[in-house]
Amino acid sequence: MRLSVRAIEDAGRGANRDLLSFGLDEIDRRLAGGGLAAAALHEVAGASASLSDDAAATLFAAGIAARRTGTVLWALGRPDLFAPGLALVGLGPDRLLHAECGRDEDVLAVMEEGLRHGGLAAVVGEVGRVTMAATRRLQLAAEEKGVMALMLKRWRRSGQDPLALPSAAVTRWRIACAPSETLPVPGVGRPRWHVELARQRGGAPFQWIMESCNAEGRLALFALSADRPVAAEPGERRAA
């Protein structure tokens, strides 16, 4: 898919550059500022190394990007992005620009270049191990140009939690699959996810059971009883 320079520059103009609301009070009121900071870096990882959790984390990030107005740059760590799945959560091929990178270093370079361009709705990158310095660069680039950065942290063979290392990301999320809704007839109901806000700058961590993103990239709250605080990540302190 080819996109002109003008099309990329026009993408994202007029969008809310301050906050991106989930449209759910149970989530938004627990996010510092009342929503996701638009000009910031956010990290998402599967709760385990399973393919199902990895796919859920990918769709969670795609749903966030889909709610931004304009073109989304996606820097691939491996050529396995399933376009029909992204389209189901509102991120169609007409809005997506792929960059096949391979190495983490290349993904980070493409992300930073996309963020500093300033004309995109969001930049998504798939990485494994990232240094604190690299996340600081991405956070500064996102702040400078008002573009949202979403980093998909992949599990590696070492089995280390992708969110174990410190990061400058404003929010860090863990996503896991949960049992889907029981239907009165044979079939599979809307998928459910265990959504954990593992860390946020200036706020407390929380977790919810959510119904997965719809065709507009929006989640639905399944059970208020599942909404409860969680312990902060070891070795991390919440900002005041």
Side-chain angles (χ1 to χ4, degrees), residues 129-175:
R129 188 181 181 88
V130 182
T131 65
M132 182 67 162
T135 61
R136 282 200 186 104
R137 287 182 64 89
L138 294 178
Q139 173 61 27
L140 290 173
E143 290 177 355
E144 179 183 348
K145 294 296 185 177
V147 179
M148 180 176 284
L150 296 163
M151 183 180 287
L152 272 169
K153 303 291 289 292
R154 303 295 195 187
W155 286 77
R156 298 307 192 201
R157 292 181 180 178
S158 65
Q160 183 183 29
D161 180 358
L163 301 185
L165 294 176
S167 170
V170 173
T171 66
R172 309 182 83 184
W173 303 79
R174 287 192 184 91
I175 313 298

Side-chain angles (χ1 to χ4, degrees), residues 145-227:
K145 294 296 185 177
V147 179
M148 180 176 284
L150 296 163
M151 183 180 287
L152 272 169
K153 303 291 289 292
R154 303 295 195 187
W155 286 77
R156 298 307 192 201
R157 292 181 180 178
S158 65
Q160 183 183 29
D161 180 358
L163 301 185
L165 294 176
S167 170
V170 173
T171 66
R172 309 182 83 184
W173 303 79
R174 287 192 184 91
I175 313 298
C177 291
S180 63
E181 178 184 5
T182 301
L183 300 177
V185 295
V188 179
R190 182 174 174 179
R192 287 174 178 160
W193 297 335
H194 179 271
V195 176
E196 178 187 347
L197 175 55
R199 175 189 176 275
Q200 65 168 321
R201 187 182 301 173
F206 274 87
Q207 57 185 350
W208 305 264
I209 299 295
M210 309 292 300
E211 291 186 342
S212 62
C213 297
N214 62 13
E216 297 179 345
R218 296 190 177 278
L219 298 167
L221 193 62
F222 162 57
L224 296 181
S225 60
D227 174 10

